Amino acid sequence: MTTTLCLNTYAPNIKNVRVLNRIKDVLDWCGHLLLRKKKPRSIHHSEIRKVFGNASKPLGRWLYSNLLMQTGDYAAGHHSYSYALNEGGYERLRNMVGLSTVTSAEIAMELYGPIIRGELTPVYRDKGGRRYHPIQNIRRDDKKVVFSGWWDYDIDSCAATLVHQYARQHYRWVNPETTEEPFPAVARFVEEKASVRQHLATVAGIPLEKAKELSQSLLFLAPLTPHHRCSIFSLLGDDRIRLQRLKQDTFVKQLIVDLKKMWHYAMGGDQRERGLRQFAGVGVASPPDSKSKYRQAIFIALERKVMDVIHDWFGTEQFPGVLMHDGFISRRDVDTHALESYLLDTTGYEIRLKKELLGLAGAGA
């Protein structure tokens, strides 16, 4: 549920320097929300209060109600409310205080100019097992503008590729006499991505662009249940007939069987590695209790391992770009074959890197 905080009849006195500066400071802070467009961000109430002021005061309440849309729910000690920017209110307030209307790309240039110009390297922090910097929130359309002339690199089918190979390694450790592919439907899912997505789109009766989201939901074993809280059912427009067609499809049925088997061995591999580290006297945190969170944690750990190797390949202090979660953007045109070979030698994973020259007229290479 999304709510916009209630408006009131208060009108700020922008001739007051203190009020004017407060509004401008809040507008500056809201720039990072503009980069996310409608995607909400979880923000702790203490940060909101620090920027906007006390919501019980007229100015603070007015700023809240004009600029923020609150969504999600709050659980003390677990997660905060999420907020998206009220773009209409954002433009009104900029005009009110004499600031010109700006695009999200212009905001990105303003916030991260030194990084975009190559003068600074982003300083990341760990967030949920991933390296994080707000510059990663720049939307793809804006990225083509602000990083025009840079190269964009993605690990093709990152989650499916890494988990499949990781689970296969453990399967063969458990069954050393076996050489055949243990999860054939998953192998097809990875190796024939385009045709599999087209098949899913046809069977489910959804546009091809939604088939990517469907394939990710299937990969992480989202339930095929006719309930409004189930991601796949919602993706199918709460249509029971489409859901039934998907469940009865021969390939989908085999894929789900193989995916469950794959995750069983992936979890087994992770538990074995945890046991080895404990035996070596290394402190190891317990895996998540929830199987869905455990699956996500395994993937993120594999992704981070690969991204660390990519970072080291460039040289930590000389990295010429910005790390994303499952790829990077670089001012240099990188030899993808050399990097793929290094990743195979270092991690044991066979990875395909896709690259694209960024820019409004950029074409794949």
Side-chain angles (χ1 to χ4, degrees):
M1 179 178 178
T2 302
T3 59
T4 303
L5 298 176
C6 297
L7 296 174
N8 54 44
T9 58
Y10 171 80
N13 177 15
I14 60 173
K15 293 182 179 179
N16 183 304
V17 175
R18 183 187 63 83
V19 172
L20 181 63
N21 288 339
R22 166 71 71 78
I23 295 173
K24 288 182 176 179
D25 287 345
V26 171
L27 289 171
D28 284 344
W29 180 88
C30 286
H32 70 96
L33 290 179
L34 181 64
L35 298 184
R36 299 173 71 92
K37 296 294 185 182
K38 298 298 183 183
K39 185 177 180 181
R41 176 196 157 198
S42 177
I43 308 172
H44 195 271
H45 64 85
S46 62
E47 181 179 353
I48 296 285
R49 182 185 175 93
K50 181 179 178 181
V51 175
F52 283 75
N54 193 334
S56 65
K57 304 289 185 179
L59 178 58
R61 184 66 179 176
W62 182 83
L63 289 168
Y64 271 90
S65 59
N66 275 279
L67 292 170
L68 296 182
M69 295 183 292
Q70 181 179 285
T71 188
D73 52 16
Y74 171 78
H78 294 281
H79 55 84
S80 303
Y81 285 113
S82 293
Y83 297 87
L85 183 66
N86 180 345
E87 293 185 41
Y90 179 76
E91 290 192 15
R92 283 196 304 274
L93 264 65
R94 287 188 69 92
N95 291 331
M96 179 184 293
V97 299
L99 298 174
S100 60
T101 301
V102 292
T103 65
S104 50
E106 289 170 331
I107 286 288
M109 291 292 292
E110 182 179 317
L111 288 174
Y112 309 120
I115 295 173
I116 293 165
R117 292 191 297 271
E119 299 165 1
L120 288 178
T121 299
V123 177
Y124 303 92
R125 62 182 176 88
D126 272 8
K127 185 177 182 181
R130 285 169 159 159
R131 281 194 181 97
Y132 174 75
H133 188 283
I135 199 170
Q136 295 167 341
N137 293 329
I138 297 176
R139 297 172 69 248
R140 181 159 187 79
D141 288 347
D142 290 338
K143 190 163 68 171
K144 290 182 177 182
V145 176
V146 301
F147 291 107
S148 180
W150 289 42
W151 291 89
D152 187 21
Y153 298 83
D154 288 315
I155 299 173
D156 194 22
S157 301
C158 182
T161 295
L162 293 178
V163 178
H164 173 231
Q165 293 184 38
Y166 179 69
R168 191 170 59 191
Q169 288 171 0
H170 185 63
Y171 176 88
R172 288 177 176 165
W173 180 82
V174 174
N175 305 281
E177 74 289 349
T178 306
T179 57
E180 79 273 7
E181 168 58 56
F183 325 111
V186 181
R188 179 186 167 193
F189 183 83
V190 174
E191 295 163 8
E192 303 174 27
K193 178 178 69 174
S195 63
V196 166
R197 287 182 182 174
Q198 182 61 67
H199 178 77
L200 292 174
T202 301
V203 171
I206 58 175
L208 186 58
E209 58 267 21
K210 285 191 175 183
K212 178 180 179 180
E213 185 177 346
L214 174 58
S215 65
Q216 284 296 101
S217 295
L218 289 170
L219 173 64
F220 285 94
L221 299 183
L224 293 168
T225 305
H227 190 280
H228 70 279
R229 289 190 177 181
C230 293
S231 60
I232 292 179
F233 190 53
S234 297
L235 184 67
L236 301 181
D238 295 349
D239 189 320
R240 290 173 181 266
I241 295 176
R242 289 178 177 176
L243 182 68
Q244 197 61 27
R245 282 207 309 263
L246 193 65
K247 291 171 68 173
Q248 292 176 347
D249 180 73
T250 302
F251 172 70
V252 173
K253 287 196 288 188
Q254 186 58 51
L255 177 63
I256 291 171
V257 169
D258 282 3
L259 285 169
K260 288 179 178 178
K261 182 180 177 183
M262 177 192 77
W263 280 111
H264 169 77
Y265 279 97
M267 289 179 180
D270 180 76
Q271 290 162 5
R272 174 173 171 262
E273 288 185 4
R274 289 171 185 269
L276 290 172
R277 290 198 297 270
Q278 285 179 332
F279 183 76
V282 179
V284 180
S286 300
D289 293 331
S290 160
K291 284 190 176 181
S292 62
K293 290 182 179 178
Y294 193 7
R295 288 190 285 268
Q296 190 69 24
I298 288 173
F299 160 57
I300 289 175
L302 294 172
E303 178 192 72
R304 178 61 182 269
K305 178 181 180 180
V306 169
M307 292 308 301
D308 284 350
V309 170
I310 289 174
H311 198 216
D312 292 342
W313 184 76
F314 281 100
T316 305
E317 300 303 324
Q318 293 80 35
F319 184 73
V322 178
L323 294 167
M324 300 297 175
H325 298 316
D326 58 355
F328 60 94
I329 54 176
S330 171
R331 296 186 297 278
R332 299 205 309 255
D333 183 2
V334 173
D335 182 344
T336 54
H337 296 299
L339 179 51
E340 288 167 354
S341 295
Y342 182 77
L343 285 166
L344 179 59
D345 292 342
T346 308
T347 68
Y349 300 125
E350 188 174 345
I351 288 166
R352 294 189 299 271
L353 289 168
K354 300 182 300 180
K355 74 175 181 179
E356 177 187 3
L357 179 61
L358 293 174
L360 294 179

